[in-house]
Amino acid sequence: MTKATETLMPEHTAAHDNLSHEHDHHEHHGAPAGLMRWVLTTNHKDIGTLYLWFAFIMFLVGGAMAMVIRAELFQPGLQIVDPNFFNQMTTVHGLIMVFGAVMPAFTGLANWLIPMMIGAPDMALPRMNNWSFWILPFAFSMLLGSLFMEGGGPAFGWTFYAPLSTTYSSDSTALFVFSVHIMGISSIMGAINVIVTIFNMRAPSMTWMKMPLFVWTWLITAFLLIAVMPVLAGAVTMVLTDKFFGTSFFDAAGGGDPVMFQHIFWFFGHPEVYIMILPAFGIISQIVPTFARKRLFGYASMVYATASIALLSFIVWAHHMFTTGMPVFAEMFFMFATMLISVPTGVKVFNWVATMWRGSMTFEIPMLFALAFIVLFTIGGLSGLMLAITPVDFQYHDTYFVVAHFHYVLVTGAVFSIMAAVYYWLPKWTGKMFNITLAKWHFWCSLISVNVLFFPMHFVGLAGMPRRIPDYSLQFADYNQWISIGGFAFGLSQLIFLVLVIKACRKEGEPVTSQVWEGAEGLEWEIPSPAPYHTFETPPKVK
């Protein structure tokens, strides 16, 4: 027995014993078989797998809605769908991509990786973990089911501004509100689980400043989730009572204030943006050092930068509201606060570049996605700085320039980082190397098409094309055709990814060693590939 194991704290031992007893009910060494394994599972790897598959299905559903939007906008005039259905597509596409694809994918990665990275046998609250996943399919069934109601689904944009969502919406608003509540409950349970696991179940020799950066970014993200999800719950509840119970929180006729809705929504919405990008920073900080064959440059500054981004995200919300007639002092404050938050983000980009500088770089698939992330996320960050400048934001606001900005942050940022993570850890999960030819096709098709899709949006936006419209004037026709072609190409590219993942799940490919990638460091690379059903029955020693 090592010294580290002897000094195991009593709480650790108790938590560990409980988990051992719980696992004794299952077959101790392997996974139980059959459908009920997935319904009743409390194993962090199974739940991580469920989250990742759910997120991928939602990504394809949300992508299909984006295809409807781009097909309609392929040329001027109303072609395929009526304007009300077009608005339903833009609304539900946004909700599904944010709450159904990006957030569950990061939660799936957290479930799979955090216990393996910190040397814990499982997540701290396994039954709550199961529950936090299984309520999600019901939430999204409710949201998608609202599209088939009389009057159609929610058609007020994913930001559901009042009075569009209160006075002028259909009865499906109630289903929308309940589904958002359930998503929020799931997120809060997942966040509590992450925090308790990291605080109480790290291997005894893993100090705070030895934790992998993915674990750090998720810990900070979990605190953000707990802080802002109740704010979203409050906003949707007020929308519900305004719509159905005669209150007037946001109805000016009854003494309410529609601009107050925007303040409440964006107080949630801006930290939410960082909830969707901080875990991505953690992933890139794991991948870049591996393929640069160097230690991460400035580990401590990365941790502090992540924490400062999280804190500053609470004081920048009104940069989404420069055109609402705020006092000039408030506009100045939010402009400078927004510029300030770009500093820790710049520190991260600098550190990744410094890590690669004079490293022995190789360009495996995860590294290609990581490099694409760094370049394209930086473009999204720079357009965000443009939007932060109050006087010019009056010109950009509610145009396609904003659409281009947040898609560069969320697609080439969050989504590309999730793909990088899947390519990086998939061989560890399955024990086999994925099909590298398919992966290269997926990368290059995605990279080219995503830029054909989103880059021209900057130009139509600067020329004044408003967002969320089903029709437009002739001057925007050529660009929109290119954007739609890029959109369809990007959507089809993801089918390559689907084929690749299915082949990997069927264990096709060359077997890999426990380390998988030369230069990979961390506890998860010390266990066999594929990762056994139960890992770290005794706490490992951290180097």
Side-chain angles (χ1 to χ4, degrees), residues 142-165:
M142 208 185 295
L143 180 63
L144 291 167
S146 69
L147 293 169
F148 301 99
M149 283 180 69
E150 197 179 336
F156 33 66
W158 81 274
T159 51
F160 54 99
Y161 276 12
L164 292 176
S165 55

Side-chain angles (χ1 to χ4, degrees), residues 96-386:
I96 279 191
M97 287 307 203
V98 169
F99 297 108
V102 173
M103 289 170 71
F106 281 136
T107 311
L109 291 169
N111 266 296
W112 249 106
L113 298 170
I114 288 175
M116 297 202 313
M117 287 179 161
I118 63 174
D122 205 314
M123 295 294 272
L125 306 163
R127 287 195 179 89
M128 187 164 93
N129 207 8
N130 172 293
W131 181 233
S132 72
F133 170 76
W134 276 112
I135 60 177
L136 277 182
F138 294 97
F140 285 93
S141 304
M142 208 185 295
L143 180 63
L144 291 167
S146 69
L147 293 169
F148 301 99
M149 283 180 69
E150 197 179 336
F156 33 66
W158 81 274
T159 51
F160 54 99
Y161 276 12
L164 292 176
S165 55
T166 50
T167 313
Y168 303 110
S169 61
S170 68
D171 287 345
S172 63
T173 306
L175 286 185
F176 153 77
V177 169
F178 290 135
S179 68
V180 168
H181 269 301
I182 297 172
M183 296 166 208
I185 292 166
S186 167
S187 294
I188 289 171
M189 289 200 289
I192 290 170
N193 211 345
V194 166
I195 291 169
V196 176
T197 303
I198 295 171
F199 268 75
N200 293 336
M201 298 183 69
R202 300 196 309 284
S205 49
M206 180 169 279
T207 59
W208 287 108
M209 293 316 263
K210 281 186 188 170
M211 286 198 326
L213 259 163
F214 180 72
V215 180
W216 261 117
T217 51
W218 239 111
L219 179 65
I220 292 165
T221 301
F223 279 109
L224 279 180
L225 278 164
I226 289 173
V228 300
M229 277 303 174
V231 178
L232 175 67
V236 292
T237 306
M238 287 188 268
V239 164
L240 185 77
T241 58
D242 271 16
K243 171 84 182 148
F244 295 102
F245 298 105
T247 57
S248 47
F249 291 108
F250 308 128
D251 181 5
D257 182 3
V259 175
M260 180 176 77
F261 174 87
Q262 295 189 34
H263 280 291
I264 296 168
F265 178 83
W266 286 115
F267 189 77
F268 147 79
H270 208 78
E272 166 67 20
V273 172
Y274 292 101
I275 286 165
M276 290 190 285
I277 205 67
L278 290 183
F281 293 163
I283 290 163
I284 302 305
S285 302
Q286 300 292 132
I287 292 174
V288 168
T290 298
F291 297 106
R293 312 274 180 313
K294 271 176 71 186
R295 296 290 296 278
L296 181 72
F297 180 88
Y299 171 93
S301 64
M302 286 295 240
V303 174
Y304 298 134
T306 309
S308 26
I309 288 171
L311 291 169
L312 289 169
S313 71
F314 286 101
I315 60 162
V316 296
W317 76 89
H319 65 212
H320 298 267
M321 300 170 53
F322 285 146
T323 57
T324 55
M326 280 191 289
V328 173
F329 170 78
E331 289 182 342
M332 296 287 280
F333 170 82
F334 286 108
M335 175 168 81
F336 289 128
T338 305
M339 289 180 168
L340 187 62
I341 205 170
S342 69
V343 175
T345 314
V347 167
K348 287 179 168 297
V349 174
F350 173 82
N351 284 10
W352 292 323
V353 173
T355 305
M356 292 185 281
W357 178 250
R358 304 187 77 169
S360 309
M361 297 256 289
T362 52
F363 299 99
E364 282 89 342
I365 306 296
M367 187 61 164
L368 291 175
F369 272 99
L371 289 169
F373 170 96
I374 293 168
V375 174
L376 299 175
F377 172 78
T378 304
I379 292 173
L382 290 171
S383 61
L385 267 177
M386 293 169 70

Side-chain angles (χ1 to χ4, degrees), residues 391-407:
V392 292
D393 183 68
F394 277 74
Q395 179 69 30
Y396 306 142
H397 187 76
D398 262 347
T399 68
Y400 260 81
F401 188 85
V402 179
V403 180
H405 155 69
F406 69 72
H407 281 90

Side-chain angles (χ1 to χ4, degrees), residues 374-543:
I374 293 168
V375 174
L376 299 175
F377 172 78
T378 304
I379 292 173
L382 290 171
S383 61
L385 267 177
M386 293 169 70
L387 290 162
I389 302 165
T390 310
V392 292
D393 183 68
F394 277 74
Q395 179 69 30
Y396 306 142
H397 187 76
D398 262 347
T399 68
Y400 260 81
F401 188 85
V402 179
V403 180
H405 155 69
F406 69 72
H407 281 90
Y408 263 92
V409 173
L410 286 178
V411 179
T412 62
V415 173
F416 269 31
S417 76
I418 292 163
M419 289 169 179
V422 170
Y423 283 121
Y424 188 55
W425 282 290
L426 190 63
K428 169 58 66 184
W429 301 340
T430 62
K432 298 285 174 72
M433 184 50 76
F434 50 80
N435 185 318
I436 294 188
T437 311
L438 276 182
K440 284 180 178 167
W441 272 101
H442 175 230
F443 172 73
W444 288 109
C445 292
S446 296
L447 181 72
I448 294 163
S449 59
V450 84
N451 284 296
V452 174
L453 166 58
F454 295 123
F455 205 77
M457 287 185 183
H458 291 104
F459 305 129
V460 291
L462 290 173
M465 180 172 163
R467 59 197 278 205
R468 292 185 192 158
I469 51 161
D471 189 12
Y472 52 86
S473 60
L474 212 51
Q475 64 183 13
F476 304 125
D478 292 354
Y479 271 139
N480 269 297
Q481 236 163 42
W482 278 109
I483 292 168
S484 289
I485 290 166
F488 282 104
F490 184 68
L492 290 170
S493 307
Q494 304 325 306
L495 299 179
I496 305 174
F497 191 39
L498 179 62
V499 170
L500 182 142
V501 173
I502 290 171
K503 281 169 95 69
C505 291
R506 288 165 63 177
K507 303 286 174 88
E508 297 176 20
E510 297 294 312
V512 292
T513 62
S514 61
Q515 198 182 7
V516 183
W517 311 104
E518 185 199 338
E521 286 184 1
L523 291 177
E524 77 268 31
W525 305 111
E526 291 174 18
I527 57 177
S529 305
Y533 196 62
H534 299 299
T535 37
F536 300 125
E537 298 287 330
T538 51
K541 190 92 175 92
V542 180
K543 288 174 187 163

